[in-house]
Amino acid sequence: MKRDMVLVRKLLDFVEARGARLFKGSIQIEGYEREQITLHLFLLADAGFIELGQDTLADKGPLVLTWKGCDYLEELKAQDRK
């Protein structure tokens, strides 16, 4: 499965809009299947944009937008305004 930067942006926006603590199972993005969302959450965590709680994969642990993730999302929004 290829990295989907549109989904990356939607996930970052979702986490930002819903607050600092979310559970993986609560994230549903229209047009994307659970496995796509899960893969991209791993990619975002690997890049340091989100932090996955210990039990996140079991739909019990939190997702947290990191400082780096906030900065990256701000950069994307700034590009949108140009």
Side-chain angles (χ1 to χ4, degrees):
M1 187 177 305
K2 291 185 177 183
R3 182 177 64 174
D4 183 332
M5 294 308 291
V6 173
L7 179 54
V8 165
R9 172 66 184 269
K10 288 181 179 196
L11 287 169
L12 290 173
D13 285 335
F14 188 96
V15 173
E16 181 187 50
R18 303 301 192 289
R21 297 176 68 83
L22 289 168
F23 295 87
K24 179 179 73 74
S26 69
I27 295 182
Q28 296 179 5
I29 306 293
E30 187 175 334
Y32 293 94
E33 295 187 18
R34 169 71 45 214
E35 68 181 37
Q36 292 172 293
I37 292 170
T38 301
L39 170 67
H40 283 76
L41 290 172
F42 277 118
L43 293 173
L44 286 167
D46 187 54
F49 297 136
I50 63 171
E51 199 170 292
L52 299 174
Q54 184 175 348
D55 293 323
T56 300
L57 300 181
D59 291 336
K60 297 177 185 172
L63 296 171
V64 179
L65 192 59
T66 64
W67 190 278
K68 183 178 178 180
C70 290
D71 287 344
Y72 181 65
L73 190 54
E74 284 180 22
E75 287 177 29
L76 292 175
K77 289 178 181 182
Q79 290 174 5
D80 289 347
R81 291 189 290 269
K82 291 181 181 180

